[in-house]
Amino acid sequence: MTDDESARMTRILSGLPAEARELLSGTEWGSLHHAYGPAVDIPVSLCSLVDADPGVRSEALAALDMAVLHQGSLYTVTAPAALFVAAILSHPMGFAEHEGHFPWDNGPPRSLRAELLVWLRQVAEAAAYGEDPAKDRTDWQWEPWHDATRREHDPDELAALHACRDIRPTLYNAVEPFLTSADPHVREAALGAALPLLAARGLVDRIPRAAALLRARPGEARRERAGVARALAVWGMDTSDLLADSDPAVRVCAALGPAHVDRPRALAVLLDALRDPRTTDGWFPEPLPGLDGWFRFTVLRAALALAESFDEVAPVAVAIVAAAGASFTDHERGPILFRAFPGGYDPSHPLTSAQRDLLRAFVDTDEATGGIAGNGSWFRAAGLPEDRDSIAALL
């Protein structure tokens, strides 16, 4: 530690909450690791998060992104660092605004508190991945071979994963007060963090209170109202009233959950959105927290999961495949094919009319790179032949 870093820590320590000071003094940082080695440098970075200099704060945030949670990977230092971040969420410096550290981070200045909440969301998402394989399969990025290729964790990785899962109650306790913040950006960031945190089985009992807080303060902007509807749906709350909302974006987000009192109406809402994908994608130019791809990808996965049979979604699904180059292999055509053959193709059973229509769309668009040639992995996963002639012979 340099003299400047030592002086910075001394200056900042007295203003930290007691929990943050105890974490700094009670953690053996040298025994922990981040992406680039021993974590002896992390205490300085953590203290620098609340430095008066915005440039220093940005560099400290960059250290969290690059070292403590590098590309979504968890390390033995991640859990104590996350506990420290949770402990300083109420620090007065949380109101301070700063610009991004990275060249590609060219958005408008935002508050430190919102940035810290976004980082906690990323920690929670990383901790939750793989915990519930059935839920992972509904993610817009999931592919059938993910489960087969999931590797074993080494002891340090496993320890880091369990440590991050164990601290979720503490993290949520710190996040919850900001669900009703006066700052809409902070509210959104807090909700983004609450979603993966409350996915933990041990926190299910917190969901009703979180839902009540969200419903007690409905926002006026489409983005916030839709985000609240999505959270309620993902948590399995009854969103029947929101399925009749005047805003189609809110209706769709209310239909994104795993179960619905009014399943037919929820499915109809999703399918309507998929018939006009350009409009659907335009609802959220900046993706909602946790949804980085085009919004229609999430809508499609939700519709495929909600349908009791492929026949229910076939007309819309076939139209997407028939769009060829206008649709995407891994996020649209592939998942549709896999849903049409949920148990894998069985030659002893005749194809249904909907399955025939779908395979015909693949055959007809093969030359446009939207057919079989560009979807081999998905055809293999569905137990189907991987060449055009063999698929055509089935029709």
Side-chain angles (χ1 to χ4, degrees):
M1 185 184 304
T2 67
D3 290 342
D4 286 346
E5 291 171 340
S6 178
R8 182 186 304 157
M9 286 192 66
T10 300
R11 183 177 70 251
I12 291 172
L13 277 172
S14 62
L16 291 176
E19 301 96 317
R21 292 198 303 272
E22 290 169 5
L23 276 164
L24 286 175
S25 62
T27 302
E28 296 183 10
W29 299 99
S31 67
L32 305 176
H33 288 79
H34 53 56
Y36 303 106
V40 291
D41 55 333
I42 293 304
V44 173
S45 294
L46 294 177
C47 284
S48 298
L49 288 168
V50 292
D51 193 274
D53 186 331
V56 171
R57 292 197 304 273
S58 289
E59 290 180 3
L61 281 168
L64 290 183
D65 286 334
M66 293 190 297
V68 180
L69 189 68
H70 181 67
Q71 296 182 350
S73 296
L74 302 173
Y75 303 90
T76 52
V77 75
T78 309
L83 287 172
F84 181 92
V85 168
I88 64 169
L89 285 176
S90 297
H91 193 282
M93 193 57 71
F95 292 105
E97 290 190 339
H98 66 90
E99 296 181 355
H101 175 81
F102 302 107
W104 57 85
D105 190 4
N106 58 359
R110 58 270 192 194
S111 73
L112 173 67
R113 182 168 294 131
E115 286 296 290
L116 294 178
L117 285 164
V118 167
W119 187 78
L120 288 177
R121 184 202 88 212
Q122 294 167 344
V123 171
E125 289 173 344
Y129 184 75
E131 191 172 26
D132 184 351
K135 185 173 183 179
D136 289 342
R137 293 187 193 108
T138 65
D139 184 87
W140 66 274
Q141 297 182 90
W142 181 83
E143 297 167 341
W145 43 92
H146 280 179
D147 292 344
T149 59
R150 191 168 289 169
R151 64 182 179 82
E152 294 292 327
H153 295 284
D154 68 34
D156 280 349
E157 290 175 331
L158 200 58
L161 177 62
H162 287 309
C164 287
R165 288 177 177 175
D166 289 344
I167 65 172
R168 287 181 292 194
T170 302
L171 298 186
Y172 181 73
N173 287 341
V175 167
E176 188 187 74
F178 299 101
L179 291 174
T180 54
S181 168
D183 183 338
H185 299 293
V186 170
R187 289 199 301 273
E188 176 175 299
L191 180 54
L195 272 165
L197 287 170
L198 292 183
R201 292 186 182 92
L203 292 178
V204 171
D205 62 328
R206 313 282 188 96
I207 289 177
R209 173 178 164 80
L213 290 172
L214 297 183
R215 284 194 177 271
R217 181 168 181 158
E220 296 182 359
R222 158 182 279 180
R223 182 179 180 86
E224 182 166 12
R225 294 178 61 242
V228 167
R230 172 178 166 245
L232 296 173
V234 168
W235 290 334
M237 307 300 289
D238 183 2
T239 57
S240 298
D241 59 321
L242 297 174
L243 291 175
D245 194 274
S246 60
D247 189 324
V250 175
R251 294 198 299 270
V252 168
C253 284
L256 293 178
H260 283 278
V261 173
D262 191 347
R263 189 195 69 85
R265 185 163 56 139
L267 182 59
V269 165
L270 296 172
L271 294 178
D272 280 346
L274 292 171
R275 291 187 180 95
D276 188 7
R278 287 182 179 273
T279 297
T280 300
D281 284 338
W283 289 337
F284 308 111
E286 176 70 19
L288 294 174
L291 303 179
D292 295 328
W294 290 111
F295 186 54
R296 70 179 187 272
F297 298 160
T298 293
V299 177
L300 175 62
R301 293 290 180 123
L304 295 177
L306 194 57
E308 292 181 347
S309 71
F310 181 67
D311 286 6
E312 285 191 303
V313 297
V316 171
V318 171
I320 291 173
V321 172
S327 61
F328 288 78
T329 296
D330 290 330
H331 305 316
E332 291 179 297
R333 297 191 299 271
I336 287 170
L337 182 71
F338 196 69
R339 180 64 183 84
F341 296 88
Y345 169 63
D346 183 352
S348 66
H349 289 81
L351 296 175
T352 66
S353 176
Q355 289 172 331
R356 287 181 179 278
D357 289 344
L358 178 65
L359 293 182
R360 172 60 63 188
F362 274 103
V363 169
D364 290 346
T365 59
D366 193 53
E367 295 303 319
T369 72
I372 299 146
N375 296 263
S377 296
W378 287 96
F379 272 83
R380 185 163 55 252
L384 286 158
E386 299 170 45
D387 64 279
R388 185 179 188 278
D389 291 342
S390 295
I391 293 297
L394 299 177
L395 301 175

